[in-house]
Amino acid sequence: MPALRRVLLLLTPLTLFAALPAHAEDDSYQQMLQYLTHTRMDGQTLNNASGVVGVNMASGDFNQQTNVRALAVGDHAAIQVRTRQSRTTNVATDPDVASASIGGQAMQGAQGVFSINQASGNGNAERNVVTAALARQGIREAGDTWFAAASASAGGTVSPAPSAAAGKERAVAVESTAMQEVRGVVQLNQVAGSANAASNQLHLSISQPVQ
């Protein structure tokens, strides 16, 4: 009698890959080559924090950030704040995707003074300033020169980086679940892109009556 023969067919993974559209692999490869910059506060970051808090977050190249606070108490208390950030002859590639965001339950129930800088991209300058002067010699007014000194340039020199090209993604966001029930002073600079300058300033001048 003739011998029975069994034939085993093996389906290799190559059969499955052949069924995928050609552009699917191309898109995935292009995403791998993209220059991505992301800064994000998430989860329970700074939940129920209290006091004076400064945060600087940067993703990219040549970003500059500062948080400045000054307090003066005395018979003739006064404050002048001068800040300058500058850079020259720096060149960097613009990111394809840039985002700065705060999400999750970040900063829920926080109390105090919070100064936050988030930058994604190249050549950005961000600054937060809080000043408080408590004088004991009657009522006085802060002159124009005092405020001019406190609002010195944050941007410095203009960025040599080109503007964002069409098709590149830029996004900033504070999600609805974040920063709930925050009490106090919150300064927030969020920048996604290149060659931006952002500044927040709070100046307090308080006088006690003469005893």
Side-chain angles (χ1 to χ4, degrees):
M1 295 181 65
L4 294 178
R5 294 181 181 178
R6 295 181 180 180
V7 178
L8 179 63
L9 298 179
L10 298 178
L11 296 179
T12 66
L14 294 177
T15 305
L16 299 178
F17 291 143
L20 292 176
H23 64 79
E25 290 186 15
D26 295 340
D27 292 345
S28 178
Y29 182 69
Q30 290 299 322
Q31 290 177 358
M32 291 175 59
L33 296 180
Q34 283 187 331
Y35 175 21
L36 311 178
T37 57
H38 298 295
T39 59
R40 181 173 174 82
M41 292 176 58
D42 207 340
Q44 297 181 345
T45 304
L46 296 177
N47 269 20
N48 300 311
S50 61
V52 179
V53 178
V55 177
N56 291 321
M57 304 175 67
S59 176
D61 297 296
F62 311 122
N63 294 297
Q64 302 167 116
Q65 299 170 317
T66 184
N67 291 314
V68 179
R69 304 172 194 87
L71 174 65
V73 179
D75 291 340
H76 303 281
I79 297 175
Q80 287 189 346
V81 174
R82 298 179 184 272
T83 64
R84 180 174 177 79
Q85 302 179 94
S86 63
R87 60 186 183 80
T88 57
T89 64
N90 293 317
V91 179
T93 302
D94 270 351
D96 297 296
V97 179
S99 68
S101 61
I102 299 178
Q105 290 76 45
M107 293 185 63
Q108 283 192 358
Q111 301 182 48
V113 178
F114 298 87
S115 301
I116 302 170
N117 292 314
Q118 285 186 309
S120 293
N122 301 321
N124 299 296
E126 297 177 313
R127 179 188 67 169
N128 291 311
V129 177
V130 177
T131 66
L134 177 60
R136 296 193 180 95
Q137 294 297 320
I139 299 176
R140 61 181 179 82
E141 295 182 357
D144 293 338
T145 57
W146 186 82
F147 282 104
S151 59
S153 172
T157 57
V158 178
S159 170
S163 59
K168 295 187 176 182
E169 299 178 19
R170 305 286 183 262
V172 298
V174 177
E175 297 173 6
S176 60
T177 57
M179 302 179 70
Q180 294 184 359
E181 299 182 5
V182 175
R183 297 183 180 181
V185 175
V186 177
Q187 296 177 305
L188 174 61
N189 292 316
Q190 289 183 308
V191 169
S194 299
N196 298 289
S199 178
N200 285 312
Q201 303 173 53
L202 173 63
H203 308 291
L204 301 176
S205 179
I206 304 171
S207 297
Q208 293 180 340
V210 178
Q211 300 295 326

